[in-house]
Amino acid sequence: NAGVTQTPKFRVLKTGQSMTLLCAQDMNHEYMYWYRQDPGMGLRLIHYSVGEGTTAKGEVPDGYNVSRLKKQNFLLGLESAAPSQTSVYFCASSFAGGHTGELFFGEGSRLTVL
Amino acid sequence: GENVEQHPSTLSVQEGDSAVIKCTYSDSASNYFPWYKQELGKGPQLIIDIRSNVGEKKDQRIAVTLNKTAKHFSLHITETQPEDSAVYFCAGEPNAGKSTFGDGTTLTVKP
């Protein structure tokens, strides 16, 4: 049972390049999330999804897009990477949101934008 | 929206001592408060949570207390061990899918 799997684990981009982070979960969870983690700033929610085909903005959505075409997958895209997007990105999933949901996190994807 | 403040940002204790981490929140609608532990190079993992209809919850050496009137909750770790060294995050969740995390506390347990 893999849980939440993120690919790639490391990536270096040049300013202006695009890329997609893939998150896959095998727990049949409805909710999926993308967070970024920066030193001293905790985890900040970028986008989330409450079910297949749905997406919603979190706290820091600018510069990112997401898609949830399949229940088990949640993709995070950067269309034109900027140095400010250098961060560690975590995907998470939960059975449900709203006061019931333990978040299950992946191991993170470290992105560096030069 | 919800604002969660966490203190202290770093905490160093001797093995066997107790550690306390405190969080305050702003949104009175929040009624689910989880605590996550993040070890180096890994994703956060839930260690304990509490809901607003409960004032205290304990699981072996860890406990969480909640004061809804004052809008604060705390994590207590007793008899600390070196393997407790990690970053700990609190969170508050007022709406489905929108947990707000504190900035984290780096706990170091010295042998």
Side-chain angles (χ1 to χ4, degrees), chain A residues 7-8 10 13 19-20 26-27 36 38 43-44 49 62 68 72 75 78 86 88-89 95 97-98 101 106-107 111-112:
Chain A
T7 53
F10 301 94
L13 288 177
M19 74 158 296
T20 300
D26 61 3
M27 297 172 281
R36 61 177 288 172
D38 301 294
L43 292 150
R44 292 183 293 167
S49 168
D62 294 343
R68 183 101 181 268
Q72 64 268 35
L75 278 63
L78 286 72
T86 293
V88 181
Y89 293 85
F95 180 70
E107 297 213 327
L111 175 65
T112 302

Tab-separated table of all heavy atoms in Angstrom, chain A residues 7-8 10 13 19-20 26-27 36 38 43-44 49 62 68 72 75 78 86 88-89 95 97-98 101 106-107 111-112:
chain	number	residue	atom	x	y	z
A	7	THR	N	5.720	12.575	-7.744
A	7	THR	CA	6.826	12.546	-8.696
A	7	THR	C	6.882	13.866	-9.447
A	7	THR	O	5.836	14.462	-9.750
A	7	THR	CB	6.661	11.405	-9.725
A	7	THR	OG1	5.360	11.506	-10.329
A	7	THR	CG2	6.818	10.042	-9.069
A	8	PRO	N	8.097	14.397	-9.754
A	8	PRO	CA	9.375	13.865	-9.292
A	8	PRO	C	9.666	14.297	-7.862
A	8	PRO	O	8.952	15.118	-7.299
A	8	PRO	CB	10.357	14.519	-10.259
A	8	PRO	CG	9.746	15.851	-10.541
A	8	PRO	CD	8.260	15.614	-10.577
A	10	PHE	N	12.734	15.573	-6.979
A	10	PHE	CA	13.626	16.727	-7.110
A	10	PHE	C	13.547	17.240	-8.542
A	10	PHE	O	13.436	16.453	-9.485
A	10	PHE	CB	15.086	16.353	-6.810
A	10	PHE	CG	15.316	15.795	-5.445
A	10	PHE	CD1	15.303	14.428	-5.231
A	10	PHE	CD2	15.539	16.637	-4.366
A	10	PHE	CE1	15.510	13.908	-3.970
A	10	PHE	CE2	15.755	16.124	-3.103
A	10	PHE	CZ	15.734	14.763	-2.910
A	13	LEU	N	14.636	23.938	-12.324
A	13	LEU	CA	14.090	24.618	-13.494
A	13	LEU	C	14.783	25.947	-13.689
A	13	LEU	O	15.295	26.536	-12.723
A	13	LEU	CB	12.599	24.894	-13.315
A	13	LEU	CG	11.603	23.754	-13.379
A	13	LEU	CD1	10.201	24.302	-13.106
A	13	LEU	CD2	11.644	23.054	-14.714
A	19	MET	N	6.479	23.068	-15.761
A	19	MET	CA	6.582	21.687	-15.314
A	19	MET	C	5.297	21.272	-14.611
A	19	MET	O	4.475	22.120	-14.251
A	19	MET	CB	7.753	21.487	-14.372
A	19	MET	CG	7.561	22.033	-12.981
A	19	MET	SD	8.641	21.232	-11.769
A	19	MET	CE	8.065	19.547	-11.800
A	20	THR	N	5.141	19.988	-14.436
A	20	THR	CA	3.985	19.438	-13.738
A	20	THR	C	4.453	18.460	-12.675
A	20	THR	O	5.303	17.607	-12.921
A	20	THR	CB	3.056	18.690	-14.716
A	20	THR	OG1	2.603	19.601	-15.715
A	20	THR	CG2	1.855	18.128	-13.976
A	26	ASP	N	-3.656	5.904	-3.433
A	26	ASP	CA	-4.323	4.622	-3.652
A	26	ASP	C	-5.272	4.276	-2.510
A	26	ASP	O	-5.567	3.103	-2.267
A	26	ASP	CB	-3.288	3.514	-3.862
A	26	ASP	CG	-2.370	3.317	-2.662
A	26	ASP	OD1	-2.568	4.012	-1.629
A	26	ASP	OD2	-1.456	2.483	-2.742
A	27	MET	N	-5.756	5.300	-1.790
A	27	MET	CA	-6.625	5.075	-0.630
A	27	MET	C	-8.081	5.412	-0.932
A	27	MET	O	-8.915	5.431	-0.023
A	27	MET	CB	-6.108	5.912	0.548
A	27	MET	CG	-4.709	5.495	0.988
A	27	MET	SD	-3.996	6.600	2.217
A	27	MET	CE	-3.466	7.955	1.184
A	36	ARG	N	2.715	24.139	-0.201
A	36	ARG	CA	4.126	24.433	-0.313
A	36	ARG	C	4.680	24.715	1.074
A	36	ARG	O	3.970	25.248	1.936
A	36	ARG	CB	4.406	25.590	-1.269
A	36	ARG	CG	3.803	26.921	-0.920
A	36	ARG	CD	4.231	27.996	-1.921
A	36	ARG	NE	5.635	28.376	-1.757
A	36	ARG	CZ	6.284	29.183	-2.598
A	36	ARG	NH1	5.674	29.697	-3.645
A	36	ARG	NH2	7.562	29.488	-2.389
A	38	ASP	N	7.893	26.464	3.032
A	38	ASP	CA	9.065	27.319	3.000
A	38	ASP	C	9.600	27.470	4.417
A	38	ASP	O	8.832	27.421	5.384
A	38	ASP	CB	8.702	28.680	2.402
A	38	ASP	CG	8.144	28.548	0.997
A	38	ASP	OD1	8.913	28.127	0.120
A	38	ASP	OD2	6.952	28.838	0.793
A	43	LEU	N	3.168	25.210	6.370
A	43	LEU	CA	2.570	24.665	5.154
A	43	LEU	C	1.471	25.610	4.687
A	43	LEU	O	0.560	25.933	5.448
A	43	LEU	CB	1.975	23.285	5.440
A	43	LEU	CG	2.995	22.203	5.745
A	43	LEU	CD1	2.399	21.162	6.682
A	43	LEU	CD2	3.447	21.544	4.460
A	44	ARG	N	1.536	26.018	3.447
A	44	ARG	CA	0.520	26.906	2.902
A	44	ARG	C	-0.203	26.214	1.753
A	44	ARG	O	0.420	25.674	0.849
A	44	ARG	CB	1.153	28.227	2.431
A	44	ARG	CG	1.683	29.085	3.580
A	44	ARG	CD	2.236	30.411	3.082
A	44	ARG	NE	3.443	30.238	2.283
A	44	ARG	CZ	3.990	31.194	1.532
A	44	ARG	NH1	3.404	32.386	1.465
A	44	ARG	NH2	5.089	30.959	0.866
A	49	SER	N	-8.861	19.895	-3.965
A	49	SER	CA	-9.956	19.304	-4.730
A	49	SER	C	-10.812	18.467	-3.797
A	49	SER	O	-10.298	17.690	-2.994
A	49	SER	CB	-9.386	18.414	-5.841
A	49	SER	OG	-10.401	17.615	-6.418
A	62	ASP	N	-1.669	31.813	-6.819
A	62	ASP	CA	-1.151	32.523	-7.990
A	62	ASP	C	0.097	31.852	-8.546
A	62	ASP	O	1.037	31.550	-7.822
A	62	ASP	CB	-0.861	33.984	-7.629
A	62	ASP	CG	-2.131	34.744	-7.300
A	62	ASP	OD1	-3.223	34.260	-7.658
A	62	ASP	OD2	-2.025	35.825	-6.691
A	68	ARG	N	-7.761	17.614	-11.734
A	68	ARG	CA	-8.138	16.352	-11.053
A	68	ARG	C	-9.052	15.575	-12.013
A	68	ARG	O	-10.255	15.469	-11.833
A	68	ARG	CB	-8.877	16.658	-9.750
A	68	ARG	CG	-9.240	15.407	-8.960
A	68	ARG	CD	-8.292	15.169	-7.837
A	68	ARG	NE	-8.617	13.975	-7.086
A	68	ARG	CZ	-9.393	13.951	-5.996
A	68	ARG	NH1	-9.948	15.065	-5.548
A	68	ARG	NH2	-9.600	12.809	-5.358
A	72	GLN	N	-7.809	9.416	-8.340
A	72	GLN	CA	-6.581	9.069	-7.657
A	72	GLN	C	-5.421	10.014	-7.948
A	72	GLN	O	-4.377	9.905	-7.305
A	72	GLN	CB	-6.174	7.620	-7.985
A	72	GLN	CG	-5.837	7.378	-9.456
A	72	GLN	CD	-7.024	6.923	-10.268
A	72	GLN	OE1	-8.163	7.345	-10.018
A	72	GLN	NE2	-6.774	6.067	-11.244
A	75	LEU	N	-2.773	16.874	-10.209
A	75	LEU	CA	-1.600	17.438	-10.856
A	75	LEU	C	-1.454	18.913	-10.515
A	75	LEU	O	-2.440	19.663	-10.514
A	75	LEU	CB	-1.711	17.295	-12.374
A	75	LEU	CG	-1.320	15.945	-12.999
A	75	LEU	CD1	-2.226	14.825	-12.532
A	75	LEU	CD2	-1.322	16.037	-14.519
A	78	LEU	N	3.113	24.420	-13.126
A	78	LEU	CA	3.708	25.755	-13.126
A	78	LEU	C	3.908	26.114	-14.587
A	78	LEU	O	4.677	25.456	-15.289
A	78	LEU	CB	5.053	25.772	-12.404
A	78	LEU	CG	5.078	25.688	-10.886
A	78	LEU	CD1	4.711	24.297	-10.380
A	78	LEU	CD2	6.454	26.089	-10.357
A	86	THR	N	10.567	28.494	-5.765
A	86	THR	CA	11.499	27.545	-5.152
A	86	THR	C	10.949	27.166	-3.787
A	86	THR	O	10.719	28.032	-2.939
A	86	THR	CB	12.889	28.182	-5.012
A	86	THR	OG1	13.437	28.399	-6.317
A	86	THR	CG2	13.817	27.279	-4.210
A	88	VAL	N	9.518	23.401	-1.246
A	88	VAL	CA	9.206	21.965	-1.169
A	88	VAL	C	7.694	21.836	-1.249
A	88	VAL	O	6.971	22.489	-0.479
A	88	VAL	CB	9.729	21.320	0.124
A	88	VAL	CG1	9.389	19.824	0.134
A	88	VAL	CG2	11.226	21.516	0.264
A	89	TYR	N	7.224	21.041	-2.170
A	89	TYR	CA	5.798	20.887	-2.402
A	89	TYR	C	5.318	19.545	-1.857
A	89	TYR	O	5.926	18.504	-2.104
A	89	TYR	CB	5.498	20.982	-3.899
A	89	TYR	CG	5.754	22.358	-4.444
A	89	TYR	CD1	7.018	22.747	-4.863
A	89	TYR	CD2	4.721	23.298	-4.504
A	89	TYR	CE1	7.274	24.022	-5.324
A	89	TYR	CE2	4.951	24.578	-4.978
A	89	TYR	CZ	6.227	24.939	-5.385
A	89	TYR	OH	6.460	26.208	-5.838
A	95	PHE	N	-9.865	11.323	3.451
A	95	PHE	CA	-11.113	10.653	3.121
A	95	PHE	C	-12.218	11.679	2.924
A	95	PHE	O	-13.017	11.610	2.018
A	95	PHE	CB	-11.478	9.651	4.214
A	95	PHE	CG	-12.758	8.929	3.948
A	95	PHE	CD1	-12.838	7.988	2.936
A	95	PHE	CD2	-13.891	9.192	4.694
A	95	PHE	CE1	-14.018	7.318	2.670
A	95	PHE	CE2	-15.072	8.529	4.442
A	95	PHE	CZ	-15.145	7.597	3.424
A	97	GLY	N	-13.122	16.119	4.059
A	97	GLY	CA	-12.670	17.309	4.749
A	97	GLY	C	-13.659	17.650	5.846
A	97	GLY	O	-14.496	16.843	6.205
A	98	GLY	N	-13.567	18.839	6.344
A	98	GLY	CA	-14.577	19.307	7.278
A	98	GLY	C	-14.590	18.585	8.593
A	98	GLY	O	-15.542	17.906	8.932
A	101	GLY	N	-11.058	14.937	8.741
A	101	GLY	CA	-10.061	14.409	7.823
A	101	GLY	C	-8.625	14.470	8.239
A	101	GLY	O	-8.003	15.533	8.160
A	106	GLY	N	2.383	13.007	1.059
A	106	GLY	CA	3.487	12.396	0.341
A	106	GLY	C	4.802	12.840	0.951
A	106	GLY	O	4.829	13.585	1.936
A	107	GLU	N	5.893	12.407	0.367
A	107	GLU	CA	7.211	12.698	0.929
A	107	GLU	C	7.810	14.005	0.409
A	107	GLU	O	8.905	14.382	0.826
A	107	GLU	CB	8.156	11.528	0.698
A	107	GLU	CG	7.696	10.257	1.404
A	107	GLU	CD	8.845	9.380	1.877
A	107	GLU	OE1	9.885	9.358	1.200
A	107	GLU	OE2	8.685	8.708	2.922
A	111	LEU	N	11.629	21.636	-5.411
A	111	LEU	CA	11.762	22.358	-6.669
A	111	LEU	C	12.660	23.562	-6.478
A	111	LEU	O	12.459	24.353	-5.550
A	111	LEU	CB	10.392	22.810	-7.166
A	111	LEU	CG	10.386	23.699	-8.421
A	111	LEU	CD1	10.910	22.943	-9.613
A	111	LEU	CD2	8.989	24.237	-8.695
A	112	THR	N	13.645	23.691	-7.351
A	112	THR	CA	14.526	24.861	-7.360
A	112	THR	C	14.374	25.559	-8.697
A	112	THR	O	14.480	24.929	-9.748
A	112	THR	CB	15.992	24.457	-7.152
A	112	THR	OG1	16.119	23.755	-5.903
A	112	THR	CG2	16.887	25.683	-7.125
